[in-house]
Amino acid sequence: MRLPSPLVLAPLAGILSLTHALDLDIASVDSVRSTASTLAYDMMTYYSGNQSGQVPGLLPGPCQSDACYYWWEAGAMFGSLINYWEYTQDDSYNHVVTQALQFQIGPDQNFNPPNQSRNMGVDDQDFWAFAAMDAAEANLPDVGGDAPSWLALAQAVYNFQSALWDAATCGGGMRWQVFSFNAGYNLKNTISNGGNFQLAARLARYTGNQTYADWAEKMWNWIEGSPLFYRQDNILYIWDNTDADKNNCSDVERHAWSYNYGTMLVGAAHMYNFTDGAEPWNTRVHEILEGAFFLFFPQEYGGNIMTEFQCEPTSICNNDQSSFKAYLTRWMAVTAVLVPDTWDLIMPKLQASAQGAVKQCIGGENGRKCGRQWYSTTWDGSQGVGQQMCALAVVGATQMNQALVPKSAASGGTSKSDPGAGGDASTAPDIQFSAITTADKAGAAILTILVVVALVGGGIWIIL
């Protein structure tokens, strides 16, 4: 299914004329696809990186305004468009996704571009690597030529991050920031360490290589042994961060965010699948899931509607936090197909949340911009990339099925492996299939894309 012309991408703003609230019937594939298409369109009105003179891959920002976004959220957005393609079969944005992901790879082809060094957290890099893994697991075609494959980009991030293990403080783990001059370098947080765990687990499953699985186990053990994991009354609380410099990680900042649960959940689900359901991964999956249900699906709103309880009820979510539910949503949906006995637990919550999300998409200048509070039918007054991404993720997730199980090399995945990607083979596992050559890597700092720009009806069209 391809909604615009098969030869060109339609402008990302200015052609839809819908000005009314969305009408979703989750029992109808056509309804879900139509709704998701509108949500994706409205999300991409915030993006101009495919227009002449703009930088591919960047959203406006960063700055303190809610009109600006950090680099990582753009990577997450492109990952969401890969998921959108999987859920709806609409490939309208695939060229934009490919262009953006390849443009932001950086000189070492590991999503570490120099112009983002002031914002380079381990987690920021992870979200671009997640998008690359989404592409590999969905069989988005590799670009070919000198461009790195999707799998190689994720492997390069893994190789780079392996050197960031910090045994000198807190018994291990990784600091939040890659570079010591960035604020937050003193912290070791869940999304960075959990993101690295997730990446290693997904690489283990995709490649079948035990070295990645061993690293994932090492990372899990550190997180579980740190104050980031806390159990009380049979509930697992996953806290946000701990301070390596001030107290050697002896206490913790007690905020619980949905994406921290999501990254640990889907990593554990991939390890469950990689180990053919061996314990303790099934137990770990269910413990995380039960904690997520308790915290983010409160009985106050019926028990099936997702909420970012730390900030939504008081309307204080920032742009980062406004996107967090998108990741828990996607990663719950993937867990449902990787760990079959979670399906009946997860899907009713995603379906109810999708219906709630669409009822919040009633604001803004077009009358259908999405807010955050899915438990309310009154628009909460917020809008932005994160709100659109969350609604898009949960509406699309209602279409998850066994045909959409993430692919691996053993199940039809075609992205080429490069275990030494990123230029440092010292941390690379010994994987023997489909590696691109050193000569291929040498010329791949930036993908060469032929862009033909034409002005049509006052809008900018980009043909890739």
Side-chain angles (χ1 to χ4, degrees), residues 109-294:
Q109 302 177 12
N110 61 1
F111 292 120
N112 191 10
N115 63 348
Q116 295 299 329
S117 61
R118 296 297 303 182
N119 304 302
M120 187 55 67
V122 171
D123 54 334
D124 298 65
Q125 195 180 34
D126 281 335
F127 272 90
W128 286 85
F130 296 159
M133 282 304 303
D134 287 335
E137 292 165 349
N139 266 355
L140 184 68
D142 285 342
V143 175
D146 288 340
S149 71
W150 305 124
L151 180 59
L153 285 167
Q155 289 170 308
V157 172
Y158 169 87
N159 291 339
F160 176 83
Q161 291 187 351
S162 296
L164 300 179
W165 182 266
D166 174 30
T169 59
C170 311
M174 295 179 182
R175 292 174 180 266
W176 174 24
Q177 296 296 314
V178 170
F179 302 111
S180 60
F181 53 74
N182 284 341
Y185 185 74
N186 57 305
L187 302 178
K188 294 190 176 183
N189 61 353
T190 297
I191 194 57
S192 294
N193 289 279
N196 177 266
F197 161 69
Q198 181 196 148
L199 179 61
R202 290 171 74 173
L203 285 170
R205 182 181 175 275
Y206 193 98
T207 66
N209 187 270
Q210 183 64 39
T211 304
Y212 293 125
D214 291 343
W215 184 272
E217 182 79 49
K218 175 182 177 179
M219 182 57 80
W220 173 279
N221 290 340
W222 181 82
I223 297 170
E224 184 175 39
S226 79
L228 296 171
F229 269 25
Y230 176 72
R231 294 175 173 89
Q232 183 177 27
D233 298 330
N234 296 317
I235 297 296
L236 172 62
Y237 294 88
I238 302 177
W239 302 129
D240 189 67
N241 67 77
T242 184
D243 196 316
D245 293 354
K246 185 171 67 175
N247 53 36
N248 199 38
C249 302
S250 62
D251 60 14
V252 71
E253 194 278 320
R254 293 179 176 239
H255 281 101
W257 300 105
S258 60
Y259 76 156
N260 285 329
Y261 279 78
T263 198
M264 298 305 301
L265 175 68
V266 81
H270 277 81
M271 291 300 291
Y272 168 92
N273 190 272
F274 175 77
T275 60
D276 295 322
E279 288 291 359
W281 293 109
N282 188 56
T283 296
R284 290 170 172 173
V285 164
H286 280 272
E287 184 180 35
I288 298 167
L289 201 58
E290 289 167 8
F293 288 170
F294 176 75

Side-chain angles (χ1 to χ4, degrees), residues 10 31 56 69 104 135 150 181 196 198 222 224 228 236 277 301 319 328 330 356 360 381 396-397 405 424 439 459:
S31 175
Y69 300 87
Q104 292 294 324
W150 305 124
F181 53 74
N196 177 266
Q198 181 196 148
W222 181 82
E224 184 175 39
L228 296 171
L236 172 62
Y301 306 127
N319 275 353
L328 178 57
R330 168 63 182 174
Q360 185 60 208
V405 173
D424 182 5

Side-chain angles (χ1 to χ4, degrees), residues 407-427:
K407 290 181 172 56
S408 68
S411 64
T414 58
S415 192
K416 293 179 182 287
S417 176
D418 182 1
D424 182 5
S426 64
T427 59

